[in-house]
Amino acid sequence: MTTTVITGIGELVTNDPARAEQGGLLGLLTDAAVVVEGRRIAWVGPAADAPDADVQVDAGGRAVIPGFVDSHSHLVFAGDRSAEFEARMTGQPYTAGGIRTTVARTRAATDEQLTSHVARLVAEMRTQGTTTVEIKSGYGLSVHDEARSLAVARQFTDETTFLGAHVVPADTTPEDYVALVTGPMLAAAAPHARWIDVFCEDGAFDVDQARAILQAGTDSGLRGRLHANQLTYGGGVRLACELGLVAVDHCTFLADADVDALVSSGTIATLLPGVEFSTRQPYPDARGLLDAGVRVALASDCNPGSCFTSSMALCIALAVREMRMSPAEALHAATATGAAALDRDDVGVLAPGKAADLVLLDAPSHVHLAYRPGVPLVAGVWQAGRPVVGTPGWSG
């Protein structure tokens, strides 16, 4: 099996807990090297100690970080809601009702059109450094369209999530729709999904409905996720903690009891600052959560309505500027803790035995992700041990 040594790394972010004592939260190494063998990392350490390899690649003194892990996205959709965004920017508040607009267009799209659209967005994410992405359904809201949305998503990732419980369609009652979601729709969706999710919010599904839907998913072998406390205070975050979910997403409006529940349960709070940027809602209190001992992840929530960005670097910059995270905390949240939010320990970390998913930045350190917002700093991306963005040599 061919081995490749990447040398000339000015700053290497490993996220390896074994290196935390000297390298801090990010397990930083300077003047470092990485050896890749097949799809995995074989060795990490000082460049002077690097073992021989079949191929040598020069990073030219640039920084190398783990590939971003985007643990929350909605990529299977058709249509455009830029008019809705424009309306919000001129003073109209965001509500969940626009989801139904996308549902109509997604149902009308062919499988080929949906697949092509997801492929474009995944490629867009990859060029910006995202190497692991979770993709939800939720714009079909019928047995047929939810199942085919997940079948499309599964072509691009193993981290697929059944979100039939996004909103209640206009042509049914909440009671009848919950019965559909937990019955025929779940049966059709489960073969294509790893996770099940619910939009637990005013105007969508209440706590009791969310509990029933998540329990049905568990009974069908799916892991639970939850949208909660995005639009107002509510019981969604505490439900996620009560059920022991690995993560709960949004967490914009939190009471002290919610924070206490997150601390005691160990449930990760996945924050989605692109949403607040796109809706002008208040940003979540990341600083307060971290100081309280809550684990925080960052994700894009790429979707056509409330946040149409695929840039994890933008999310990092917003988290630093608007949510008072340090650059190190934000990068860790977008990589290692994002992986933990997917119950993964093979990505988001650059250490022997882990996936060889790494990103070369055209910058001397990870701080530039927040320091230079909006600048395309990704010079190269390796995914599963091979270069997928940038030239294989990287030097120059």
Side-chain angles (χ1 to χ4, degrees):
M1 187 178 295
T2 301
T3 57
T4 300
V5 59
I6 303 171
T7 60
I9 301 172
E11 178 189 82
L12 178 66
V13 174
T14 70
N15 285 339
D16 186 352
R19 299 185 181 277
E21 184 174 346
Q22 292 184 323
L25 176 67
L26 299 180
L28 293 177
L29 286 173
T30 56
D31 298 321
V34 173
V35 176
V36 175
E37 183 174 9
R39 299 169 65 90
R40 301 283 172 177
I41 302 290
W43 183 89
V44 173
D49 300 332
D52 293 333
D54 301 312
V55 178
Q56 181 168 325
V57 174
D58 182 8
R62 300 177 180 91
V64 171
I65 65 173
F68 297 129
V69 180
D70 190 344
S71 62
H72 184 130
S73 80
H74 305 249
L75 304 187
V76 188
F77 66 88
D80 176 89
R81 282 159 63 188
S82 57
E84 178 185 314
F85 172 80
E86 183 180 28
R88 284 201 306 272
M89 295 303 103
T90 56
Q92 297 182 30
Y94 170 72
T95 66
I99 293 170
R100 296 184 180 92
T101 302
T102 300
V103 169
R105 293 171 179 171
T106 302
R107 288 177 175 178
T110 66
D111 291 357
E112 292 75 18
Q113 288 171 326
L114 292 177
T115 300
S116 176
H117 185 67
V118 175
R120 181 181 66 81
L121 289 174
V122 169
E124 184 178 278
M125 289 177 160
R126 187 183 301 117
T127 62
Q128 298 175 92
T130 296
T131 52
T132 301
V133 60
E134 179 263 12
I135 302 176
K136 304 179 192 297
S137 65
Y139 294 120
L141 306 190
S142 70
V143 172
H144 169 71
D145 290 298
E146 283 297 298
R148 76 181 182 117
S149 293
L150 287 162
V152 167
R154 183 51 71 93
Q155 298 177 55
F156 300 94
T157 183
D158 292 333
E159 302 297 341
T160 52
T161 300
F162 169 44
L163 183 59
H166 204 176
V167 294
V168 178
D171 58 355
T172 188
T173 66
E175 295 75 18
D176 287 345
Y177 189 65
V178 169
L180 180 69
V181 169
T182 57
M185 191 183 289
L186 175 58
H192 308 292
R194 183 184 182 208
W195 304 91
I196 185 169
D197 200 344
V198 181
F199 188 21
C200 184
E201 195 68 62
D202 284 354
F205 298 87
D206 64 27
V207 168
D208 291 338
Q209 292 166 334
R211 181 184 285 107
I213 292 165
L214 291 173
Q215 184 59 57
T218 299
D219 293 344
S220 295
L222 303 184
R223 301 284 300 277
R225 314 189 69 76
L226 200 63
H227 290 57
N229 296 52
Q230 175 188 356
L231 303 178
T232 188
Y233 296 96
V237 166
R238 274 166 281 170
L239 174 64
C241 298
E242 170 197 325
L243 297 178
L245 303 189
V246 65
V248 58
D249 299 5
H250 284 291
C251 301
T252 307
F253 294 92
L254 297 180
D256 290 345
D258 298 317
V259 177
D260 292 342
L262 288 165
V263 172
S264 61
S265 68
T267 296
I268 294 167
T270 300
L271 309 184
L272 310 166
V275 173
E276 284 72 38
F277 178 82
S278 299
T279 62
R280 289 182 172 159
Q281 288 181 272
Y283 284 91
D285 183 9
R287 181 77 269 138
L289 287 168
L290 289 166
D291 290 347
V294 177
R295 291 190 296 168
V296 169
L298 293 174
S300 74
D301 195 10
C302 183
N303 75 81
S306 62
C307 180
F308 198 14
T309 183
S310 57
S311 173
M312 289 292 282
L314 172 63
C315 294
I316 287 171
L318 290 173
V320 171
R321 173 61 181 85
E322 302 293 342
M323 303 196 310
R324 297 185 299 147
M325 297 179 78
S326 72
E329 289 168 336
L331 178 55
H332 194 266
T335 50
T337 316
L342 295 174
D343 201 21
R344 298 277 296 272
D345 63 5
D346 60 322
V347 294
V349 177
L350 298 181
K354 305 300 183 182
D357 294 350
L358 49 88
V359 175
L360 178 80
L361 299 179
D362 198 7
S365 83
H366 70 281
V367 177
H368 282 236
L369 290 166
Y371 177 49
R372 305 196 69 205
V375 177
L377 294 178
V378 173
V381 179
W382 282 39
Q383 190 171 29
R386 66 184 186 89
V388 293
V389 175
T391 56
W394 273 358
S395 60

